Amino acid sequence: MVNVIGLGYIGLPTALMLASHGIEVVGTDYNNDIVALLRSGKTSFKEKGLDELYKKAVEANIKFTNEYQITDIYIIAVPTPYDKFTKKVDPCYVITAIKSVLDVCPKGATIVIESTVSPGTIDKYVRPTITEVGFEIGKDIHLVHAPERIIPGNMIYELIHNNRTVGADDIVVGEQIKNLYSSFCQGEIVVTDIRTAEMTKVVENTYRAVNIAFANELAKICRYDGLDVYEIIKICNMHPRVNILQPGPGVGGHCISVDPWFLVGDYPHLAKVIDESMKTNDGMPDFVLNRIYEIMQENNLTDFSRVGLYGLTYKENVDDMRESPTLQLLESQKRHLSKGLKVYDPFVVQDVVENQYHNLDEFLDGIDLVVIMVAHDEIKNRLDILKEKIVFDTRHIYKGDCYSL
Ligand code: SAJ
């Protein structure tokens, strides 16, 4: 039996996938509300294909509880926040989960850490936690780091098709865990050591963050010189060795906007390009806000309540608002004393900000300028309803006349 600890964005799909592929799974979460929700037949977040997978897993008898199980394999998928000041990973949830596992697990158990951690975290924090309670690593407890690579919005497909990394102290244990993931994963699974696995995960997200920062910087250069950044990127990407990503209103989510800071925090004298890239990305919501002021001025608009932000989540077709550029923009706006912008997102049903709407037509009714912050399918499929509006499109989806970054 596998005990999956943490039933959030990574733990839940992983637990469901294992269960629906014939593995006995118990999912554990300390949050009783999540456990109750999952037991009542509902999933805790929106993701394409998740509900169908949940049904299959329930038919396969997956269990949800707040108790840690006595078993031989634990998969830990709890959050790893970072300290905004020191830029270092905060492993508190991982450590708490490990301690709880150690309270119940038999000798010889394997603990797989899926949570993203900064390079060296397992040596620095996890190993001492295990040895302090008298367990010998490699004998009483086997350690594995198998960081997840699935992208929100396409998680279920990617769980099956992505290649994976399994970092282990012991190659035999690494192969055992590789076999476990092979129950559903059709990609290649590389077995390596733990430090390499830690670094690989953070480097992958850093690569994407730096590439997006490059695109964002190009957007600013092109704006300064009156050039079309999208046309330029399109043409450059026709070169066989160039693949520039898209500029946008900022970089959100709990991965690309966080993980690269681990490298800046741990290697402040070395990670220069990464540091500058993160600052560039973090500066985008302010850049967008300034563009809003410019566009308002150009159109003789003075009332902020006649301006609406479409989209609150960190990217399209997900309900996750962590580090969302729209929320960052609204924070900035408060500091500039220019409150009042209207906001709408079809994926956000709860009230999270002032002047928030829950109906697209009502939202559009009272505004002159609409700022597309997120390219949800809802608006992509109904772009014609914007034809009477002034449109500022930060995602390059609008086909008609509009303002861009
Ligand atoms: N973004 C841009 N321009 C782009 C692409 C993205 O501005 O060209 C923005 C998005 O709008 C969003 C942010 O970047 O605000 C991040 O979105 P994303 O789709 O690039 O990535 P995430 O954070 O949803 O998922 C990433 C993925 N990592 C990589 O592609 C290297 C995913 O595979 C990881 O599993 C995930 O981080 C994670 O959990 O670490």
Side-chain angles (χ1 to χ4, degrees):
M1 186 252 280
V2 177
N3 188 193
V4 177
I5 317 293
L7 297 172
Y9 288 102
I10 299 300
L12 180 62
T14 304
L16 300 178
M17 194 57 93
L18 283 165
S20 59
H21 284 78
I23 311 287
E24 189 186 348
V25 178
V26 176
T28 298
D29 201 295
Y30 80 111
N31 184 332
N32 290 327
D33 292 342
I34 289 187
V35 173
L37 194 74
L38 290 168
R39 281 182 173 174
S40 77
K42 292 188 191 121
T43 49
S44 41
F45 63 96
K46 287 195 192 118
E47 173 65 35
K48 189 174 57 188
L50 187 67
D51 288 346
E52 291 76 7
L53 186 64
Y54 169 84
K55 275 191 203 116
K56 278 192 206 155
V58 169
E59 277 159 23
N61 222 7
I62 189 170
K63 299 272 182 298
F64 303 107
T65 173
N66 55 11
E67 283 172 9
Y68 286 70
Q69 305 297 298
I70 302 173
T71 188
D72 51 356
I73 299 181
Y74 297 86
I75 294 181
I76 295 183
V78 294
T80 39
Y82 83 108
D83 183 313
K84 282 195 173 144
F85 182 66
T86 62
K87 311 287 187 211
K88 291 191 189 238
V89 74
D90 178 355
C92 61
Y93 296 115
V94 174
I95 300 303
T96 306
I98 301 260
K99 283 183 179 160
S100 305
V101 166
L102 296 176
D103 282 343
V104 297
C105 74
K107 288 198 169 177
T110 299
I111 301 179
V112 182
I113 299 171
E114 277 214 20
S115 310
T116 303
V117 291
S118 66
T121 299
I122 291 182
D123 280 355
K124 203 165 162 195
Y125 299 103
V126 174
R127 290 184 197 278
T129 306
I130 296 170
T131 50
E132 263 163 26
V133 293
F135 283 103
E136 192 181 325
I137 296 169
K139 194 165 144 244
D140 304 325
I141 290 290
H142 300 290
L143 258 189
V144 172
H145 181 40
E148 189 40 69
R149 283 173 163 166
I150 51 178
I151 196 149
N154 203 21
M155 285 179 159
I156 311 304
Y157 176 89
E158 291 207 349
L159 258 177
I160 296 171
H161 294 95
N162 281 2
N163 302 322
R164 299 187 70 113
T165 316
V166 169
D169 290 336
D170 177 337
I171 184 94
V172 177
V173 174
E175 290 294 331
Q176 280 165 0
I177 297 304
K178 172 177 169 172
N179 284 341
L180 174 68
Y181 284 116
S182 298
S183 62
F184 63 83
C185 172
Q186 296 172 13
E188 190 180 329
I189 304 178
V190 178
V191 179
T192 183
D193 62 86
I194 288 180
R195 290 207 65 192
T196 304
E198 286 177 320
M199 185 57 117
T200 310
K201 167 70 198 190
V202 174
V203 166
E204 288 161 8
N205 280 350
T206 303
Y207 166 79
R208 195 159 169 84
V210 171
N211 194 332
I212 297 169
F214 179 62
N216 284 335
E217 190 163 286
L218 288 180
K220 289 182 182 174
I221 291 171
C222 292
R223 159 87 10 237
Y224 183 79
D225 232 359
L227 290 160
D228 179 348
V229 67
Y230 300 103
E231 178 72 1
I232 287 166
I233 290 177
K234 192 177 92 190
I235 296 170
C236 290
N237 283 351
M238 291 167 79
H239 184 291
R241 280 170 298 283
V242 175
N243 187 11
I244 307 167
L245 291 173
Q246 291 297 300
V251 170
H254 193 59
C255 310
I256 308 268
S257 71
V258 173
D259 299 355
W261 283 124
F262 299 163
L263 295 178
V264 177
D266 287 344
Y267 310 97
H269 305 299
L270 300 172
K272 303 285 188 201
V273 171
I274 302 167
D275 188 17
E276 278 308 318
S277 301
M278 294 304 279
K279 286 176 185 153
T280 300
N281 290 339
D282 284 355
M284 288 311 288
D286 269 341
F287 179 78
V288 171
L289 187 57
N290 283 328
R291 286 283 294 138
I292 293 174
Y293 296 151
E294 278 170 18
I295 295 164
M296 284 177 74
Q297 211 171 19
E298 220 175 293
N299 291 280
N300 297 321
L301 289 176
T302 49
D303 182 358
F304 288 102
S305 70
R306 303 288 304 169
V307 179
L309 304 178
Y310 178 90
L312 259 169
T313 61
Y314 83 93
K315 69 171 189 179
E316 68 286 358
N317 305 327
V318 299
D319 63 3
D320 190 343
M321 284 179 289
R322 289 177 296 175
E323 323 294 331
S324 134
T326 305
L327 291 177
Q328 292 174 46
L329 188 151
L330 291 170
E331 271 307 304
S332 257
Q333 183 212 195
K334 277 188 200 154
R335 287 197 298 275
H336 292 167
L337 302 175
S338 53
K339 284 174 40 168
L341 297 182
K342 290 189 172 133
V343 189
Y344 163 81
D345 191 306
F347 282 83
V348 183
V349 285
Q350 68 280 33
D351 274 320
V352 288
V353 291
E354 284 170 30
N355 306 314
Q356 186 183 338
Y357 284 69
H358 296 283
N359 176 293
L360 177 57
D361 297 310
E362 279 172 25
F363 162 74
L364 290 174
D365 255 359
I367 57 175
D368 303 311
L369 167 61
V370 56
V371 185
I372 303 175
M373 297 291 287
V374 184
H376 289 309
D377 283 349
E378 181 205 49
I379 195 76
K380 275 172 104 172
N381 295 332
R382 291 187 65 192
L383 286 171
D384 54 306
I385 57 168
L386 303 181
K387 62 176 184 285
E388 304 298 323
K389 307 287 174 200
I390 303 163
V391 177
F392 172 22
D393 179 11
T394 72
R395 296 288 187 174
H396 195 47
I397 56 166
Y398 194 63
K399 309 279 183 265
D401 261 0
C402 68
Y403 291 92
S404 57
L405 283 173

